[in-house]
Every structure is written in C-alpha cells, then in structure tokens.
C-alpha cells in the first residue's frame, strides 16, 4: 500500500525494518511494490526498493516486469532508475509484446 500511495517514508521504514520487499499482491495482478511504484511513477520509491535489492525480474499476471510497466506508462525517470540497476530489457509479456520494442519508442535523453 505504501508503494501505491507514494509514501516514501513508510517504504523507507519498512526497508529499514527488513520487511519482505518482494511481496506479491495477488489482489493487484500479482504485482510487487516495485511494479506498483513503477506503474504509478514514484521514482524515489523505485530507487529505494531497487537499492534495497528488490527483484527487477519479477512479473505480474500479464508477464510484465517493473521496467516493462514503466515503459508502457512512459515513466522515463523510473525507466532510467531501473536500467541503472540492470533491469532486463529482453522481456516478452504473455501476449507476445516485446519490451525492447516499447523502449525504442521512448526518448530517455
């Protein structure tokens, strides 16, 4: 919930308390806090989670990673952060869409 509401203070507190940061929320399309923060364009939360070791390879129920979701939403700051943490760009979702094709259409400069 903290990631979806953009509450960086609670996210930092949870990370400091060693909370499980890769918790999958089945009620939210099997999203993780990193995926949710990527969708809602909370770059500071994405950075904290990625820095704390959040798994950038986890997929939601459509087969999309945090980077994939950020690219669909064109959240360029989040995309840059995830690329900095070496998020995989060679992802194909369950419908056959390729992340690399979406990224090619986005200007990151």
């Amino acid at each position: 919930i903290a990631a979806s509401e953009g509450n960086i203070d609670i996210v930092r507190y949870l990370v400091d308390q060693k909370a499980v940061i890769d918790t999958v929320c089945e009620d939210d399309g099997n999203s993780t806090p990193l995926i949710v923060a990527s969708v809602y364009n909370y770059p500071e939360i994405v950075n904290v989670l990625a820095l704390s070791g959040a798994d950038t390879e986890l997929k939601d129920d459509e087969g999309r990673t945090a980077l994939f979701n950020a690219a669909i939403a064109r959240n360029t700051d989040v995309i840059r952060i995830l690329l900095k943490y070496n998020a995989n760009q060679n992802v194909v979702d369950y419908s056959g869409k390729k992340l690399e094709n979406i990224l090619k259409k986005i200007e990151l400069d």
Side-chain angles (χ1 to χ4, degrees):
I1 292 174
S4 67
E5 294 180 359
N7 195 324
I8 186 64
D9 294 329
I10 292 178
V11 171
R12 282 194 180 118
Y13 174 79
L14 292 169
V15 166
D16 290 344
Q17 296 301 310
K18 308 291 187 226
V20 177
I21 57 176
D22 286 328
T23 302
V24 174
C25 181
E26 293 176 7
D27 293 338
D28 194 14
N30 288 330
S31 294
T32 63
L34 183 63
I35 290 172
V36 170
S38 298
V39 169
Y40 289 111
N41 199 25
Y42 294 126
E44 191 173 8
I45 291 175
V46 169
N47 193 56
V48 167
L49 292 172
L51 181 64
S52 301
D55 189 343
T56 61
E57 302 305 309
L58 292 178
K59 296 180 178 183
D60 63 17
D61 61 359
E62 295 183 45
R64 297 174 178 168
T65 61
L67 180 58
F68 205 119
N69 280 289
I72 288 172
R74 297 188 177 278
N75 296 334
T76 56
D77 290 339
V78 170
I79 292 168
R80 284 188 198 94
I81 291 165
L82 292 169
L83 291 174
K84 180 175 85 171
Y85 288 99
N86 298 314
N88 185 1
Q89 298 177 52
N90 298 312
V91 177
V92 179
D93 73 7
Y94 298 145
S95 70
K97 290 181 187 166
K98 294 182 179 182
L99 172 58
E100 64 185 342
N101 292 340
I102 297 169
L103 287 171
K104 287 177 186 176
K105 299 175 184 175
I106 301 172
E107 293 187 31
L108 294 175
D109 298 328

